[in-house]
Amino acid sequence: MQYALYTAIASCIITIIIGPFLIKTLTKLKTGQNIRDDGPQTHLIKKGTPSMGGIIMLIAMTISTLIFAELTPALILVLIITLGHGLLGFLDDFIKIVLKRSMGLKAKEKFLGQVIMAIGLAYFADKYLGLGTDLWIPFVENPIELGILYYVLIFFVLVGTTNAVNLTDGLDGLAAGTTLIAAGTYAIIASTFNAPSLSCFCAATAGACLGFLRFNSYPAKVFMGDTGSLALGAALATVAVLTKTEFLLLVVGGVYVLETLSVIIQVTSFKTTGKRVFKMSPLHHHFELLGYSETKVVTIFWAAGLVFTAVALIILLFTKSGGI
């Protein structure tokens, strides 16, 4: 954990140092965020705030990890999947914001990229790292062998987590803060499974998120965009796969789960009954429209993230999976 701490500090410092320069560059490139007219009216003042700031975190995470962590096959894999999703998000952001094409990447293009990376993750984790195709469930004595269905599971873990973090990225500091908590938790989890390189990577992710809050907390000077949210989601999902804690990720990422469920419930309810359960989804917008300030909503969600983290670590204390 000592090197993980160094990695986190280095990642945070790098983020803070390169942040102003890259924010200025993003501003010159006119990467200003478009704000939905049907969203909370208080968000209209955010129009023009530069996006694609996830680049800042990805640079800091990569540099600090390569400096302090041993370059193991597992670390190479998590870097490839994370940066691959960062590239996917960057292309989507660039097309939408810079080239002014509102749809960004076509759905089938984004889907194809995620399918390829999910298959690659499952294949290398199984065949080259020897992690097998079984699923660990807390408090169940024996893991469940899934066989080829494990590849399907990995796809849903990867796509589900990336999209969930993306949904959570709707308020200043919300996604960065909740991911700081989740990544810090996974640094501890990876350490307990004797995977120091993965622990360093998670610490680097947490450090980058902490540094990014310097620019992304209210009022935000920059947004992470899909460049950041897809990459952060992929980072958490990949580490969960490599530590065989896919199920535990549901607890660690409890805030992401609630945000995603709120969207599913809202859409399902409106399509079947014509009524909305929430004033607006994702869930953080519902709280805003109830009259909570943006900073208060973010604070509540961060606190919820800490509670989910505590529950996850308690579960880990009493049971352990068979990861790296």
Side-chain angles (χ1 to χ4, degrees), residues 234-245:
L236 292 174
T238 304
V239 174
V241 170
L242 296 180
T243 54
K244 303 294 283 185
T245 57

Side-chain angles (χ1 to χ4, degrees), residues 92-231:
D92 195 36
D93 284 336
F94 189 83
I95 293 171
K96 283 189 296 188
I97 300 172
V98 179
L99 299 184
K100 308 299 181 185
R101 298 178 190 171
S102 59
M103 295 303 292
L105 279 179
K106 294 179 181 178
K108 62 181 181 181
E109 294 171 339
K110 187 181 292 186
F111 181 77
L112 178 61
Q114 291 181 310
V115 167
I116 291 173
M117 284 186 275
I119 292 175
L121 171 58
Y123 181 81
F124 280 95
D126 176 25
K127 303 299 182 182
Y128 286 86
L129 298 179
L131 296 182
T133 55
D134 56 341
L135 173 65
W136 167 74
I137 300 177
F139 307 113
V140 174
E141 185 174 352
N142 296 314
I144 300 174
E145 178 57 47
L146 296 179
I148 193 66
L149 291 178
Y150 184 72
Y151 285 67
V152 179
L153 172 69
I154 297 310
F155 171 75
F156 281 108
V157 169
L158 194 57
V159 174
T161 308
T162 54
N163 288 331
V165 176
N166 185 255
L167 287 173
T168 305
D169 184 31
L171 299 180
D172 295 357
L174 179 55
T178 51
T179 304
L180 161 62
I181 295 167
T185 303
Y186 260 101
I188 297 172
I189 292 173
S191 180
T192 63
F193 293 136
N194 195 30
S197 62
L198 292 183
S199 182
C200 283
F201 172 77
C202 292
T205 303
C209 288
L210 179 61
F212 191 67
L213 284 172
R214 168 69 177 80
F215 314 106
N216 183 240
S217 57
Y218 185 85
K221 299 180 180 66
V222 66
F223 300 136
M224 66 173 68
D226 287 3
T227 307
S229 60
L230 294 185

Side-chain angles (χ1 to χ4, degrees), residues 272-286:
T272 55
T273 68
K275 297 180 179 179
R276 293 180 172 87
V277 176
F278 304 101
K279 290 181 177 294
M280 183 179 289
S281 64
L283 189 59
H284 54 261
H285 288 323
H286 173 73

